[in-house]
Amino acid sequence: CEPPPPSSLSLSPAFHGVISFLAARDWDMAKATQLLHECVAWRRDFGANPVDPKQCLGELLKGKTFLHGQDRQGNALLYHFVRKQDPNERDLDEAARAIVFWAEQASKAENSKTGKVTLVFVRSGATSANGDLTLARTIAPILSNNFPETLDKVLVYPTGPGFRAAWMAGQLFLDATTRRKVVPISDQYELLSYVEPQFLLREFGGLSDFEFRPESGIPGINWWDLESHQAKQLAAKQAEAQKLAEEQAKRAQEEQQRAMQRHMQQQQQRGPQGGGYALGSFGGGGAPQGYPGRSPQMQPPGGGYGGYPGQQQPPPPAKRGLFGGLFRGNQQDAQLGPPPGQWGAPPP
C-alpha cells in the first residue's frame, strides 16, 4: 500500500482515520486492519463511542485541558496546564476518560484541518507534587493504539537547563518519530513561530484573552448538566461530612468504654482499700471491720464513740473509793462498789 498524496488528506475525517492507522503500521494493510479491529473493541469496552462528557465532568471542570484555535499548520491547538494536576484529588478512570474526550474533540474536522493535534504542555507554576506518572503510564498506550499518528507535536514550555539536560538523556530511549514530536521551548518568541498570536494566550506572549468556561469550553455540556453535577457534588460532600461525624462519635464512644474498662481493672487490681473499725460500744474498743473509704491509719482510736467513726471515746468514769471518789480505789472497787453498810460510815 502506497501513501496517498498530501492533497488528498483533506477529503474527510474518516479518511484521516484510515490514513493514521496505515501510517502507524508503516502502510502494512494487514497490520493496520488488525490495529483498527483492536481499536473498535477497545472503544466498545471503554465506552468511547464517543466518550460521554458527563462521565468525566469532574475532571473537565478543572480546566487543566482545553481546545483553543489552531497552530500555523492547521492542527487543533490543545492546551494542558500541569499546575492544575493533583494526583491525590483525581479518579484515575475519570482522568483517563477526560484525556480521551479531548483527543476525540481535537481530531474532529471542525477543530483540525489536518486531523492532527498540537499540544501546548504548560509547565509554568508546576511543582513535583503536580506530577502524575500513574496517569501518564495509563494513558500512553491508549493514545498510541487508538489515536495513532494523531499527535503532531508537543510544545513543552517553559524549559530550563534542567529539563533540557534530562530530555537529552531521555530521548536516547525513544524512537526517532517520538523525538521529532517533542519540542522543548524556553522563549515565548519560539511559541509564536508555531502558534499565531490570536490563538496564543497572553500569558505566553500572545494576543488571545481566551478564558476557559465550562458552559462554553466543554462540547456537549449545558447549564443543566453543570447544575446537576454541582448538586451531586454538594450531596456527596454532605454525605462525607455526616460519615466523618459518625465515625468520630463512634471513636469517642469506644474510647470512653475503654477508659471505663481500664478504671474497673485498676480498681480490681487494688482490691478493697482501707477498712474501718467495727462500731464500738461506749467503753470498748473496736477491731478493723472494713469500714469503706478509710484506711486503718485514718480510723479514730477505739472504733469511735457510740458506733460513729471519727469521734473520740469519752474517758471512763471515776472509780469511787470509800470517801465518795476523793480517793480512787482499785478496779474491783470501781466495779463492785463499797462493802455493804460502808456508805457514809466514819473512818476507822
Side-chain angles (χ1 to χ4, degrees):
C1 180
E2 295 295 330
S7 60
S8 64
L9 294 178
S10 60
L11 293 177
S12 67
F15 190 75
H16 291 307
V18 173
I19 292 300
S20 64
F21 281 91
L22 285 169
R25 291 300 179 261
D26 297 326
W27 308 101
D28 188 314
M29 181 64 73
K31 293 182 180 179
T33 303
Q34 178 64 28
L35 181 61
L36 184 58
H37 288 172
E38 294 174 355
C39 176
V40 172
W42 169 81
R43 284 184 174 275
R44 181 180 60 250
D45 298 336
F46 190 79
N49 291 310
V51 171
D52 185 359
K54 300 181 186 66
Q55 296 179 348
C56 53
L57 189 55
E59 284 293 310
L60 297 177
L61 289 176
K62 295 178 180 179
K64 59 184 179 182
T65 307
F66 55 81
L67 280 169
H68 178 51
Q70 300 172 350
D71 68 359
R72 292 184 181 273
Q73 296 179 347
N75 300 324
L77 197 60
L78 189 65
Y79 286 87
H80 180 77
F81 291 81
V82 181
R83 63 174 178 256
K84 296 185 179 182
Q85 293 182 168
D86 189 351
N88 300 320
E89 297 293 336
R90 63 103 177 95
D91 179 79
L92 183 59
D93 180 72
E94 186 177 354
R97 287 182 180 277
I99 295 176
V100 172
F101 171 81
W102 285 120
E104 291 177 336
Q105 297 300 318
S107 59
K108 288 183 176 181
E110 61 266 25
N111 297 320
S112 176
K113 296 178 181 180
T114 63
K116 293 191 175 185
V117 181
T118 292
L119 175 64
V120 182
F121 194 77
V122 183
R123 300 177 63 248
S124 59
T127 64
S128 58
N130 300 118
D132 198 342
L133 293 178
T134 303
L135 178 59
R137 295 191 186 102
T138 301
I139 201 63
I142 293 178
L143 297 178
S144 176
N145 297 330
N146 302 284
F147 297 90
E149 300 301 320
T150 300
L151 182 64
D152 184 64
K153 64 178 67 71
V154 181
L155 306 179
V156 183
Y157 175 82
T159 57
F163 177 87
R164 290 180 177 270
W167 172 243
M168 290 295 293
Q171 65 179 340
L172 299 177
F173 303 96
L174 302 176
D175 59 89
T177 303
T178 304
R179 288 199 301 267
R180 286 194 301 268
K181 291 182 178 181
V182 179
V183 183
I185 295 179
S186 58
D187 197 328
Q188 292 181 352
Y189 292 102
E190 293 183 59
L191 280 175
L192 288 171
S193 65
Y194 293 96
V195 184
E196 294 182 359
Q198 64 267 28
F199 295 130
L200 186 62
L201 302 181
R202 288 190 180 275
E203 179 182 351
F204 312 124
L207 301 177
S208 175
D209 294 321
F210 176 83
E211 186 176 344
F212 173 78
R213 298 182 183 277
E215 61 274 10
S216 59
I218 304 177
I221 293 296
N222 53 38
W223 66 270
W224 174 250
D225 297 323
L226 297 177
E227 290 286 342
S228 301
H229 177 77
Q230 292 175 356
K232 291 179 181 179
Q233 291 290 98
L234 180 60
K237 289 182 179 180
Q238 292 176 347
E240 184 67 22
Q242 182 178 0
K243 181 180 178 181
L244 181 61
E246 292 176 354
E247 291 177 353
Q248 291 177 347
K250 182 178 179 180
R251 286 195 296 267
Q253 184 179 6
E254 292 175 351
E255 181 61 28
Q256 184 179 8
Q257 292 177 353
R258 287 193 293 267
M260 293 178 62
Q261 292 175 357
R262 288 195 299 267
H263 178 72
M264 294 177 63
Q265 291 175 357
Q266 292 175 358
Q267 293 295 330
Q268 292 175 358
Q269 291 174 359
R270 292 176 181 175
Q273 297 215 354
Y277 287 92
L279 301 180
S281 60
F282 177 79
Q289 297 295 328
Y291 183 79
R294 294 192 181 186
S295 62
Q297 292 81 3
M298 298 174 61
Q299 296 292 337
Y305 172 66
Y308 293 93
Q311 299 186 14
Q312 296 293 332
Q313 180 177 342
K319 299 179 181 180
R320 301 179 59 86
L322 297 179
F323 296 95
L326 295 179
F327 298 96
R328 298 185 183 278
N330 55 22
Q331 186 175 3
Q332 183 178 3
D333 293 336
Q335 295 176 352
L336 300 179
Q342 294 297 324
W343 290 105

